[in-house]
Amino acid sequence: INSTQSRDSGTADSTGSSVDTIIHKVAMVGDKGVGKTSLTNQFMTSEFVAFETENDDDDTDRHVTVLLNSEESTLEIVDRPLDSQEMPSQTFDAFAVVYSITDRASYQVAVDILYHVRHQLEIKDKPTILIANKIDLVRKRKVTREEGRSVAKQYNSKYCETSAALNHHIDELLVGILSQIRLHKTPGLP
Ligand code: GDP
């Protein structure tokens, strides 16, 4: 029996259900050690992920097909610094900006990234999600929920608290990212 793992996104699959021809690129950005890689790995365990496509070009970028509201969409999760020369930021469809609630400096980096996105002409209207990670480390908390929420509001960003360690709110985050992208792509919406 042949494996169906090698289906390419962009083509209709054998069951006849439609697969997005577009791959939505999501940039996972933020300071070192905040949990970007851990969160990306946890996405793969989400019940909303229909399948993962092997990506031969670059093993750091993950392609996942998410099934939400009976519609499949393929996301390419790119875990790389925002200032990376090889990947111009305007090619992204959404920015997932991660900080650790235990690390104030990482919060400042996240705020700087949000500022950067909102002040760069080509990307200023792209959806952003501010992710407060490591919420399992309650006793080491250095950044309050109110601070996260208020800066997210200031930059017109969605706010999400997660724990990659406990696999907490990972589904909500994945669905949140895709919903933001779909909303953004709906004609007539601001
Ligand atoms: P990255 O540099 O942003 O990709 O961060 P990593 O995903 O490599 O995570 C850095 C460290 O933080 C690793 O030791 C992870 O196990 C740990 N880590 C990531 N997310 C969490 C979390 O939600 N809670 C806890 N307690 N540790 C985490």
Side-chain angles (χ1 to χ4, degrees), residues 39 97-101 129-136 138 141 143-150 158-164 167-174:
L39 287 168
V97 185
V98 190
Y99 67 92
S100 164
I101 62 153
I129 295 101
L130 182 64
I131 303 158
N133 190 40
K134 307 200 186 183
I135 55 160
D136 54 296
V138 186
R141 184 162 198 144
V143 186
T144 66
R145 174 176 289 189
E146 289 67 36
E147 287 175 288
R149 273 205 184 129
S150 96
K158 195 178 156 65
Y159 176 71
C160 207
E161 299 205 328
T162 57
S163 166
N167 208 349
H168 198 64
H169 291 169
I170 302 295
D171 281 341
E172 287 87 339
L173 174 57
L174 191 61

PDB file of all heavy atoms in Angstrom, residues 39 97-101 129-136 138 141 143-150 158-164 167-174:
ATOM      1  N   LEU A  39       7.164  25.441  20.222  1.00  0.00           N
ATOM      2  CA  LEU A  39       5.782  25.691  19.798  1.00  0.00           C
ATOM      3  C   LEU A  39       5.534  25.090  18.416  1.00  0.00           C
ATOM      4  O   LEU A  39       4.505  24.436  18.183  1.00  0.00           O
ATOM      5  CB  LEU A  39       5.488  27.199  19.768  1.00  0.00           C
ATOM      6  CG  LEU A  39       5.350  27.890  21.124  1.00  0.00           C
ATOM      7  CD1 LEU A  39       5.355  29.410  20.941  1.00  0.00           C
ATOM      8  CD2 LEU A  39       4.072  27.462  21.832  1.00  0.00           C
ATOM      9  N   VAL A  97       4.620  36.409  17.025  1.00  0.00           N
ATOM     10  CA  VAL A  97       5.700  37.045  17.782  1.00  0.00           C
ATOM     11  C   VAL A  97       5.717  36.466  19.201  1.00  0.00           C
ATOM     12  O   VAL A  97       4.777  36.661  19.967  1.00  0.00           O
ATOM     13  CB  VAL A  97       5.500  38.577  17.830  1.00  0.00           C
ATOM     14  CG1 VAL A  97       6.689  39.251  18.502  1.00  0.00           C
ATOM     15  CG2 VAL A  97       5.279  39.150  16.427  1.00  0.00           C
ATOM     16  N   VAL A  98       6.790  35.753  19.519  1.00  0.00           N
ATOM     17  CA  VAL A  98       6.829  34.992  20.771  1.00  0.00           C
ATOM     18  C   VAL A  98       7.751  35.647  21.797  1.00  0.00           C
ATOM     19  O   VAL A  98       8.837  36.114  21.457  1.00  0.00           O
ATOM     20  CB  VAL A  98       7.337  33.547  20.508  1.00  0.00           C
ATOM     21  CG1 VAL A  98       7.157  32.679  21.757  1.00  0.00           C
ATOM     22  CG2 VAL A  98       6.638  32.912  19.311  1.00  0.00           C
ATOM     23  N   TYR A  99       7.294  35.681  23.060  1.00  0.00           N
ATOM     24  CA  TYR A  99       8.210  36.010  24.158  1.00  0.00           C
ATOM     25  C   TYR A  99       7.940  35.043  25.295  1.00  0.00           C
ATOM     26  O   TYR A  99       6.956  34.314  25.289  1.00  0.00           O
ATOM     27  CB  TYR A  99       8.067  37.477  24.606  1.00  0.00           C
ATOM     28  CG  TYR A  99       6.762  37.853  25.273  1.00  0.00           C
ATOM     29  CD1 TYR A  99       6.614  37.783  26.671  1.00  0.00           C
ATOM     30  CD2 TYR A  99       5.681  38.283  24.521  1.00  0.00           C
ATOM     31  CE1 TYR A  99       5.421  38.146  27.288  1.00  0.00           C
ATOM     32  CE2 TYR A  99       4.476  38.648  25.132  1.00  0.00           C
ATOM     33  CZ  TYR A  99       4.351  38.570  26.511  1.00  0.00           C
ATOM     34  OH  TYR A  99       3.165  38.920  27.114  1.00  0.00           O
ATOM     35  N   SER A 100       8.873  35.043  26.256  1.00  0.00           N
ATOM     36  CA  SER A 100       8.691  34.206  27.437  1.00  0.00           C
ATOM     37  C   SER A 100       8.253  35.095  28.593  1.00  0.00           C
ATOM     38  O   SER A 100       8.871  36.148  28.836  1.00  0.00           O
ATOM     39  CB  SER A 100       9.997  33.505  27.783  1.00  0.00           C
ATOM     40  OG  SER A 100       9.923  33.008  29.109  1.00  0.00           O
ATOM     41  N   ILE A 101       7.232  34.672  29.329  1.00  0.00           N
ATOM     42  CA  ILE A 101       6.753  35.480  30.461  1.00  0.00           C
ATOM     43  C   ILE A 101       7.787  35.534  31.587  1.00  0.00           C
ATOM     44  O   ILE A 101       7.674  36.340  32.500  1.00  0.00           O
ATOM     45  CB  ILE A 101       5.400  34.969  31.028  1.00  0.00           C
ATOM     46  CG1 ILE A 101       5.545  33.537  31.583  1.00  0.00           C
ATOM     47  CG2 ILE A 101       4.293  35.074  29.992  1.00  0.00           C
ATOM     48  CD1 ILE A 101       4.534  33.229  32.676  1.00  0.00           C
ATOM     49  N   ILE A 129       0.228  37.919  15.824  1.00  0.00           N
ATOM     50  CA  ILE A 129      -0.252  37.270  17.050  1.00  0.00           C
ATOM     51  C   ILE A 129       0.868  37.374  18.070  1.00  0.00           C
ATOM     52  O   ILE A 129       1.994  36.937  17.804  1.00  0.00           O
ATOM     53  CB  ILE A 129      -0.626  35.786  16.816  1.00  0.00           C
ATOM     54  CG1 ILE A 129      -1.803  35.670  15.864  1.00  0.00           C
ATOM     55  CG2 ILE A 129      -0.984  35.091  18.124  1.00  0.00           C
ATOM     56  CD1 ILE A 129      -1.449  35.323  14.472  1.00  0.00           C
ATOM     57  N   LEU A 130       0.576  37.986  19.202  1.00  0.00           N
ATOM     58  CA  LEU A 130       1.579  38.092  20.258  1.00  0.00           C
ATOM     59  C   LEU A 130       1.416  36.891  21.184  1.00  0.00           C
ATOM     60  O   LEU A 130       0.326  36.653  21.722  1.00  0.00           O
ATOM     61  CB  LEU A 130       1.399  39.406  21.027  1.00  0.00           C
ATOM     62  CG  LEU A 130       2.412  39.666  22.141  1.00  0.00           C
ATOM     63  CD1 LEU A 130       3.831  39.816  21.589  1.00  0.00           C
ATOM     64  CD2 LEU A 130       2.033  40.908  22.945  1.00  0.00           C
ATOM     65  N   ILE A 131       2.486  36.131  21.346  1.00  0.00           N
ATOM     66  CA  ILE A 131       2.405  34.888  22.110  1.00  0.00           C
ATOM     67  C   ILE A 131       3.243  34.979  23.380  1.00  0.00           C
ATOM     68  O   ILE A 131       4.460  35.131  23.330  1.00  0.00           O
ATOM     69  CB  ILE A 131       2.896  33.698  21.255  1.00  0.00           C
ATOM     70  CG1 ILE A 131       2.067  33.607  19.970  1.00  0.00           C
ATOM     71  CG2 ILE A 131       2.824  32.402  22.045  1.00  0.00           C
ATOM     72  CD1 ILE A 131       2.762  32.849  18.857  1.00  0.00           C
ATOM     73  N   ALA A 132       2.552  34.909  24.519  1.00  0.00           N
ATOM     74  CA  ALA A 132       3.225  34.870  25.818  1.00  0.00           C
ATOM     75  C   ALA A 132       3.417  33.405  26.167  1.00  0.00           C
ATOM     76  O   ALA A 132       2.475  32.729  26.577  1.00  0.00           O
ATOM     77  CB  ALA A 132       2.363  35.580  26.859  1.00  0.00           C
ATOM     78  N   ASN A 133       4.628  32.911  26.000  1.00  0.00           N
ATOM     79  CA  ASN A 133       4.882  31.476  26.210  1.00  0.00           C
ATOM     80  C   ASN A 133       5.455  31.213  27.604  1.00  0.00           C
ATOM     81  O   ASN A 133       5.812  32.134  28.317  1.00  0.00           O
ATOM     82  CB  ASN A 133       5.827  30.971  25.113  1.00  0.00           C
ATOM     83  CG  ASN A 133       5.952  29.458  25.107  1.00  0.00           C
ATOM     84  OD1 ASN A 133       4.966  28.734  25.307  1.00  0.00           O
ATOM     85  ND2 ASN A 133       7.160  28.950  24.916  1.00  0.00           N
ATOM     86  N   LYS A 134       5.511  29.938  27.953  1.00  0.00           N
ATOM     87  CA  LYS A 134       6.034  29.433  29.237  1.00  0.00           C
ATOM     88  C   LYS A 134       5.128  29.789  30.412  1.00  0.00           C
ATOM     89  O   LYS A 134       5.618  30.048  31.524  1.00  0.00           O
ATOM     90  CB  LYS A 134       7.482  29.899  29.493  1.00  0.00           C
ATOM     91  CG  LYS A 134       8.455  29.591  28.344  1.00  0.00           C
ATOM     92  CD  LYS A 134       9.900  29.600  28.779  1.00  0.00           C
ATOM     93  CE  LYS A 134      10.827  29.435  27.575  1.00  0.00           C
ATOM     94  NZ  LYS A 134      12.244  29.361  27.932  1.00  0.00           N
ATOM     95  N   ILE A 135       3.820  29.810  30.185  1.00  0.00           N
ATOM     96  CA  ILE A 135       2.928  30.184  31.291  1.00  0.00           C
ATOM     97  C   ILE A 135       2.870  29.119  32.385  1.00  0.00           C
ATOM     98  O   ILE A 135       2.283  29.344  33.433  1.00  0.00           O
ATOM     99  CB  ILE A 135       1.487  30.544  30.809  1.00  0.00           C
ATOM    100  CG1 ILE A 135       0.875  29.407  29.993  1.00  0.00           C
ATOM    101  CG2 ILE A 135       1.462  31.843  30.031  1.00  0.00           C
ATOM    102  CD1 ILE A 135      -0.632  29.501  29.934  1.00  0.00           C
ATOM    103  N   ASP A 136       3.505  27.972  32.135  1.00  0.00           N
ATOM    104  CA  ASP A 136       3.613  26.967  33.211  1.00  0.00           C
ATOM    105  C   ASP A 136       4.565  27.425  34.315  1.00  0.00           C
ATOM    106  O   ASP A 136       4.472  26.981  35.467  1.00  0.00           O
ATOM    107  CB  ASP A 136       4.099  25.619  32.623  1.00  0.00           C
ATOM    108  CG  ASP A 136       5.381  25.743  31.831  1.00  0.00           C
ATOM    109  OD1 ASP A 136       5.381  26.429  30.793  1.00  0.00           O
ATOM    110  OD2 ASP A 136       6.395  25.177  32.242  1.00  0.00           O
ATOM    111  N   VAL A 138       4.831  29.763  36.438  1.00  0.00           N
ATOM    112  CA  VAL A 138       4.095  30.825  37.130  1.00  0.00           C
ATOM    113  C   VAL A 138       4.968  31.603  38.111  1.00  0.00           C
ATOM    114  O   VAL A 138       4.944  32.836  38.162  1.00  0.00           O
ATOM    115  CB  VAL A 138       2.902  30.211  37.898  1.00  0.00           C
ATOM    116  CG1 VAL A 138       2.040  31.297  38.491  1.00  0.00           C
ATOM    117  CG2 VAL A 138       2.101  29.292  37.010  1.00  0.00           C
ATOM    118  N   ARG A 141       7.312  34.236  36.727  1.00  0.00           N
ATOM    119  CA  ARG A 141       6.697  35.213  35.825  1.00  0.00           C
ATOM    120  C   ARG A 141       7.258  36.617  36.057  1.00  0.00           C
ATOM    121  O   ARG A 141       7.314  37.081  37.190  1.00  0.00           O
ATOM    122  CB  ARG A 141       5.180  35.191  36.020  1.00  0.00           C
ATOM    123  CG  ARG A 141       4.450  36.094  35.061  1.00  0.00           C
ATOM    124  CD  ARG A 141       2.968  35.767  34.945  1.00  0.00           C
ATOM    125  NE  ARG A 141       2.467  36.370  33.731  1.00  0.00           N
ATOM    126  CZ  ARG A 141       1.552  35.858  32.948  1.00  0.00           C
ATOM    127  NH1 ARG A 141       0.985  34.726  33.242  1.00  0.00           N
ATOM    128  NH2 ARG A 141       1.175  36.474  31.860  1.00  0.00           N
ATOM    129  N   VAL A 143       6.510  39.098  33.348  1.00  0.00           N
ATOM    130  CA  VAL A 143       5.671  39.975  32.521  1.00  0.00           C
ATOM    131  C   VAL A 143       4.212  39.596  32.766  1.00  0.00           C
ATOM    132  O   VAL A 143       3.834  38.429  32.604  1.00  0.00           O
ATOM    133  CB  VAL A 143       6.009  39.806  31.014  1.00  0.00           C
ATOM    134  CG1 VAL A 143       5.247  40.823  30.179  1.00  0.00           C
ATOM    135  CG2 VAL A 143       7.509  39.926  30.761  1.00  0.00           C
ATOM    136  N   THR A 144       3.421  40.568  33.179  1.00  0.00           N
ATOM    137  CA  THR A 144       2.029  40.274  33.530  1.00  0.00           C
ATOM    138  C   THR A 144       1.166  40.100  32.273  1.00  0.00           C
ATOM    139  O   THR A 144       1.527  40.555  31.185  1.00  0.00           O
ATOM    140  CB  THR A 144       1.401  41.411  34.374  1.00  0.00           C
ATOM    141  OG1 THR A 144       1.324  42.590  33.557  1.00  0.00           O
ATOM    142  CG2 THR A 144       2.225  41.698  35.618  1.00  0.00           C
ATOM    143  N   ARG A 145       0.031  39.460  32.489  1.00  0.00           N
ATOM    144  CA  ARG A 145      -0.925  39.271  31.400  1.00  0.00           C
ATOM    145  C   ARG A 145      -1.421  40.626  30.884  1.00  0.00           C
ATOM    146  O   ARG A 145      -1.599  40.834  29.695  1.00  0.00           O
ATOM    147  CB  ARG A 145      -2.097  38.455  31.937  1.00  0.00           C
ATOM    148  CG  ARG A 145      -3.221  38.309  30.948  1.00  0.00           C
ATOM    149  CD  ARG A 145      -4.302  37.426  31.498  1.00  0.00           C
ATOM    150  NE  ARG A 145      -3.855  36.036  31.560  1.00  0.00           N
ATOM    151  CZ  ARG A 145      -4.665  35.020  31.848  1.00  0.00           C
ATOM    152  NH1 ARG A 145      -5.922  35.240  32.117  1.00  0.00           N
ATOM    153  NH2 ARG A 145      -4.201  33.795  31.881  1.00  0.00           N
ATOM    154  N   GLU A 146      -1.612  41.562  31.823  1.00  0.00           N
ATOM    155  CA  GLU A 146      -2.110  42.893  31.433  1.00  0.00           C
ATOM    156  C   GLU A 146      -1.137  43.599  30.499  1.00  0.00           C
ATOM    157  O   GLU A 146      -1.545  44.247  29.536  1.00  0.00           O
ATOM    158  CB  GLU A 146      -2.361  43.754  32.681  1.00  0.00           C
ATOM    159  CG  GLU A 146      -3.552  43.332  33.515  1.00  0.00           C
ATOM    160  CD  GLU A 146      -3.357  41.971  34.183  1.00  0.00           C
ATOM    161  OE1 GLU A 146      -2.210  41.650  34.596  1.00  0.00           O
ATOM    162  OE2 GLU A 146      -4.345  41.214  34.279  1.00  0.00           O
ATOM    163  N   GLU A 147       0.155  43.458  30.791  1.00  0.00           N
ATOM    164  CA  GLU A 147       1.161  44.091  29.919  1.00  0.00           C
ATOM    165  C   GLU A 147       1.104  43.508  28.512  1.00  0.00           C
ATOM    166  O   GLU A 147       1.156  44.230  27.522  1.00  0.00           O
ATOM    167  CB  GLU A 147       2.575  43.871  30.489  1.00  0.00           C
ATOM    168  CG  GLU A 147       2.872  44.703  31.703  1.00  0.00           C
ATOM    169  CD  GLU A 147       4.230  44.354  32.294  1.00  0.00           C
ATOM    170  OE1 GLU A 147       4.374  43.264  32.892  1.00  0.00           O
ATOM    171  OE2 GLU A 147       5.156  45.174  32.146  1.00  0.00           O
ATOM    172  N   GLY A 148       1.018  42.176  28.453  1.00  0.00           N
ATOM    173  CA  GLY A 148       0.938  41.507  27.154  1.00  0.00           C
ATOM    174  C   GLY A 148      -0.286  41.947  26.383  1.00  0.00           C
ATOM    175  O   GLY A 148      -0.212  42.329  25.209  1.00  0.00           O
ATOM    176  N   ARG A 149      -1.425  41.904  27.093  1.00  0.00           N
ATOM    177  CA  ARG A 149      -2.688  42.281  26.457  1.00  0.00           C
ATOM    178  C   ARG A 149      -2.676  43.712  25.959  1.00  0.00           C
ATOM    179  O   ARG A 149      -3.146  44.002  24.863  1.00  0.00           O
ATOM    180  CB  ARG A 149      -3.823  42.153  27.484  1.00  0.00           C
ATOM    181  CG  ARG A 149      -4.404  40.788  27.532  1.00  0.00           C
ATOM    182  CD  ARG A 149      -5.827  40.886  28.040  1.00  0.00           C
ATOM    183  NE  ARG A 149      -6.409  39.561  28.185  1.00  0.00           N
ATOM    184  CZ  ARG A 149      -7.000  39.136  29.282  1.00  0.00           C
ATOM    185  NH1 ARG A 149      -7.109  39.927  30.323  1.00  0.00           N
ATOM    186  NH2 ARG A 149      -7.512  37.931  29.324  1.00  0.00           N
ATOM    187  N   SER A 150      -2.142  44.604  26.785  1.00  0.00           N
ATOM    188  CA  SER A 150      -2.238  46.007  26.412  1.00  0.00           C
ATOM    189  C   SER A 150      -1.319  46.342  25.229  1.00  0.00           C
ATOM    190  O   SER A 150      -1.706  47.105  24.346  1.00  0.00           O
ATOM    191  CB  SER A 150      -2.009  46.916  27.625  1.00  0.00           C
ATOM    192  OG  SER A 150      -0.695  47.342  27.683  1.00  0.00           O
ATOM    193  N   LYS A 158      -3.437  40.021  17.955  1.00  0.00           N
ATOM    194  CA  LYS A 158      -4.138  39.063  18.811  1.00  0.00           C
ATOM    195  C   LYS A 158      -3.178  38.654  19.921  1.00  0.00           C
ATOM    196  O   LYS A 158      -1.971  38.646  19.728  1.00  0.00           O
ATOM    197  CB  LYS A 158      -4.527  37.861  17.959  1.00  0.00           C
ATOM    198  CG  LYS A 158      -5.559  36.944  18.574  1.00  0.00           C
ATOM    199  CD  LYS A 158      -5.876  35.815  17.600  1.00  0.00           C
ATOM    200  CE  LYS A 158      -6.418  34.596  18.323  1.00  0.00           C
ATOM    201  NZ  LYS A 158      -7.720  34.846  18.965  1.00  0.00           N
ATOM    202  N   TYR A 159      -3.733  38.338  21.116  1.00  0.00           N
ATOM    203  CA  TYR A 159      -2.885  37.934  22.237  1.00  0.00           C
ATOM    204  C   TYR A 159      -3.218  36.511  22.654  1.00  0.00           C
ATOM    205  O   TYR A 159      -4.389  36.135  22.712  1.00  0.00           O
ATOM    206  CB  TYR A 159      -3.099  38.894  23.418  1.00  0.00           C
ATOM    207  CG  TYR A 159      -2.347  38.531  24.674  1.00  0.00           C
ATOM    208  CD1 TYR A 159      -0.966  38.680  24.740  1.00  0.00           C
ATOM    209  CD2 TYR A 159      -3.016  38.039  25.803  1.00  0.00           C
ATOM    210  CE1 TYR A 159      -0.272  38.350  25.896  1.00  0.00           C
ATOM    211  CE2 TYR A 159      -2.335  37.710  26.961  1.00  0.00           C
ATOM    212  CZ  TYR A 159      -0.960  37.872  27.001  1.00  0.00           C
ATOM    213  OH  TYR A 159      -0.275  37.543  28.146  1.00  0.00           O
ATOM    214  N   CYS A 160      -2.192  35.735  22.915  1.00  0.00           N
ATOM    215  CA  CYS A 160      -2.392  34.328  23.244  1.00  0.00           C
ATOM    216  C   CYS A 160      -1.363  33.903  24.288  1.00  0.00           C
ATOM    217  O   CYS A 160      -0.191  34.243  24.169  1.00  0.00           O
ATOM    218  CB  CYS A 160      -2.154  33.553  21.943  1.00  0.00           C
ATOM    219  SG  CYS A 160      -2.999  32.021  21.845  1.00  0.00           S
ATOM    220  N   GLU A 161      -1.811  33.204  25.344  1.00  0.00           N
ATOM    221  CA  GLU A 161      -0.861  32.670  26.333  1.00  0.00           C
ATOM    222  C   GLU A 161      -0.731  31.179  26.122  1.00  0.00           C
ATOM    223  O   GLU A 161      -1.739  30.478  26.002  1.00  0.00           O
ATOM    224  CB  GLU A 161      -1.358  32.962  27.747  1.00  0.00           C
ATOM    225  CG  GLU A 161      -1.487  34.441  28.039  1.00  0.00           C
ATOM    226  CD  GLU A 161      -1.383  34.755  29.526  1.00  0.00           C
ATOM    227  OE1 GLU A 161      -1.804  33.924  30.339  1.00  0.00           O
ATOM    228  OE2 GLU A 161      -0.884  35.851  29.853  1.00  0.00           O
ATOM    229  N   THR A 162       0.508  30.699  26.070  1.00  0.00           N
ATOM    230  CA  THR A 162       0.731  29.278  25.773  1.00  0.00           C
ATOM    231  C   THR A 162       1.792  28.667  26.697  1.00  0.00           C
ATOM    232  O   THR A 162       2.569  29.379  27.328  1.00  0.00           O
ATOM    233  CB  THR A 162       1.266  29.092  24.333  1.00  0.00           C
ATOM    234  OG1 THR A 162       2.470  29.843  24.191  1.00  0.00           O
ATOM    235  CG2 THR A 162       0.263  29.513  23.273  1.00  0.00           C
ATOM    236  N   SER A 163       1.770  27.348  26.734  1.00  0.00           N
ATOM    237  CA  SER A 163       2.887  26.602  27.300  1.00  0.00           C
ATOM    238  C   SER A 163       3.220  25.479  26.336  1.00  0.00           C
ATOM    239  O   SER A 163       2.434  24.541  26.182  1.00  0.00           O
ATOM    240  CB  SER A 163       2.531  26.032  28.669  1.00  0.00           C
ATOM    241  OG  SER A 163       3.510  25.072  29.028  1.00  0.00           O
ATOM    242  N   ALA A 164       4.371  25.615  25.682  1.00  0.00           N
ATOM    243  CA  ALA A 164       4.806  24.547  24.780  1.00  0.00           C
ATOM    244  C   ALA A 164       5.135  23.300  25.608  1.00  0.00           C
ATOM    245  O   ALA A 164       4.918  22.178  25.178  1.00  0.00           O
ATOM    246  CB  ALA A 164       6.021  24.988  23.971  1.00  0.00           C
ATOM    247  N   ASN A 167       1.879  21.651  26.436  1.00  0.00           N
ATOM    248  CA  ASN A 167       0.986  21.590  25.278  1.00  0.00           C
ATOM    249  C   ASN A 167      -0.326  22.320  25.577  1.00  0.00           C
ATOM    250  O   ASN A 167      -1.419  21.861  25.275  1.00  0.00           O
ATOM    251  CB  ASN A 167       0.712  20.124  24.902  1.00  0.00           C
ATOM    252  CG  ASN A 167       0.412  19.978  23.421  1.00  0.00           C
ATOM    253  OD1 ASN A 167       0.215  20.966  22.726  1.00  0.00           O
ATOM    254  ND2 ASN A 167       0.364  18.756  22.936  1.00  0.00           N
ATOM    255  N   HIS A 168      -0.202  23.480  26.154  1.00  0.00           N
ATOM    256  CA  HIS A 168      -1.334  24.244  26.638  1.00  0.00           C
ATOM    257  C   HIS A 168      -1.653  25.398  25.671  1.00  0.00           C
ATOM    258  O   HIS A 168      -0.766  26.208  25.377  1.00  0.00           O
ATOM    259  CB  HIS A 168      -0.960  24.791  28.020  1.00  0.00           C
ATOM    260  CG  HIS A 168      -2.113  25.239  28.835  1.00  0.00           C
ATOM    261  ND1 HIS A 168      -3.097  24.391  29.275  1.00  0.00           N
ATOM    262  CD2 HIS A 168      -2.442  26.468  29.281  1.00  0.00           C
ATOM    263  CE1 HIS A 168      -3.985  25.082  29.980  1.00  0.00           C
ATOM    264  NE2 HIS A 168      -3.615  26.339  29.982  1.00  0.00           N
ATOM    265  N   HIS A 169      -2.921  25.428  25.193  1.00  0.00           N
ATOM    266  CA  HIS A 169      -3.399  26.472  24.271  1.00  0.00           C
ATOM    267  C   HIS A 169      -2.709  26.440  22.904  1.00  0.00           C
ATOM    268  O   HIS A 169      -2.683  27.457  22.203  1.00  0.00           O
ATOM    269  CB  HIS A 169      -3.251  27.876  24.879  1.00  0.00           C
ATOM    270  CG  HIS A 169      -4.193  28.108  26.025  1.00  0.00           C
ATOM    271  ND1 HIS A 169      -4.085  29.189  26.854  1.00  0.00           N
ATOM    272  CD2 HIS A 169      -5.244  27.387  26.472  1.00  0.00           C
ATOM    273  CE1 HIS A 169      -5.035  29.132  27.780  1.00  0.00           C
ATOM    274  NE2 HIS A 169      -5.756  28.033  27.567  1.00  0.00           N
ATOM    275  N   ILE A 170      -2.157  25.287  22.540  1.00  0.00           N
ATOM    276  CA  ILE A 170      -1.488  25.172  21.246  1.00  0.00           C
ATOM    277  C   ILE A 170      -2.524  25.154  20.110  1.00  0.00           C
ATOM    278  O   ILE A 170      -2.351  25.808  19.087  1.00  0.00           O
ATOM    279  CB  ILE A 170      -0.595  23.907  21.192  1.00  0.00           C
ATOM    280  CG1 ILE A 170       0.449  23.945  22.313  1.00  0.00           C
ATOM    281  CG2 ILE A 170       0.072  23.757  19.826  1.00  0.00           C
ATOM    282  CD1 ILE A 170       1.461  25.053  22.228  1.00  0.00           C
ATOM    283  N   ASP A 171      -3.622  24.412  20.347  1.00  0.00           N
ATOM    284  CA  ASP A 171      -4.705  24.391  19.349  1.00  0.00           C
ATOM    285  C   ASP A 171      -5.271  25.789  19.123  1.00  0.00           C
ATOM    286  O   ASP A 171      -5.471  26.211  17.994  1.00  0.00           O
ATOM    287  CB  ASP A 171      -5.855  23.487  19.814  1.00  0.00           C
ATOM    288  CG  ASP A 171      -5.546  22.013  19.594  1.00  0.00           C
ATOM    289  OD1 ASP A 171      -4.636  21.709  18.783  1.00  0.00           O
ATOM    290  OD2 ASP A 171      -6.210  21.181  20.214  1.00  0.00           O
ATOM    291  N   GLU A 172      -5.510  26.485  20.237  1.00  0.00           N
ATOM    292  CA  GLU A 172      -6.068  27.834  20.143  1.00  0.00           C
ATOM    293  C   GLU A 172      -5.138  28.744  19.336  1.00  0.00           C
ATOM    294  O   GLU A 172      -5.583  29.572  18.548  1.00  0.00           O
ATOM    295  CB  GLU A 172      -6.270  28.438  21.546  1.00  0.00           C
ATOM    296  CG  GLU A 172      -7.416  27.845  22.324  1.00  0.00           C
ATOM    297  CD  GLU A 172      -7.014  26.596  23.120  1.00  0.00           C
ATOM    298  OE1 GLU A 172      -5.984  25.953  22.784  1.00  0.00           O
ATOM    299  OE2 GLU A 172      -7.748  26.252  24.057  1.00  0.00           O
ATOM    300  N   LEU A 173      -3.838  28.565  19.553  1.00  0.00           N
ATOM    301  CA  LEU A 173      -2.868  29.392  18.846  1.00  0.00           C
ATOM    302  C   LEU A 173      -2.882  29.101  17.342  1.00  0.00           C
ATOM    303  O   LEU A 173      -2.956  30.021  16.525  1.00  0.00           O
ATOM    304  CB  LEU A 173      -1.464  29.151  19.427  1.00  0.00           C
ATOM    305  CG  LEU A 173      -0.314  29.841  18.701  1.00  0.00           C
ATOM    306  CD1 LEU A 173      -0.525  31.347  18.643  1.00  0.00           C
ATOM    307  CD2 LEU A 173       1.009  29.516  19.381  1.00  0.00           C
ATOM    308  N   LEU A 174      -2.856  27.817  17.010  1.00  0.00           N
ATOM    309  CA  LEU A 174      -2.849  27.429  15.599  1.00  0.00           C
ATOM    310  C   LEU A 174      -4.118  27.915  14.893  1.00  0.00           C
ATOM    311  O   LEU A 174      -4.063  28.509  13.809  1.00  0.00           O
ATOM    312  CB  LEU A 174      -2.733  25.896  15.514  1.00  0.00           C
ATOM    313  CG  LEU A 174      -2.456  25.301  14.147  1.00  0.00           C
ATOM    314  CD1 LEU A 174      -1.130  25.801  13.591  1.00  0.00           C
ATOM    315  CD2 LEU A 174      -2.439  23.768  14.237  1.00  0.00           C
TER     316      LEU A 174
END
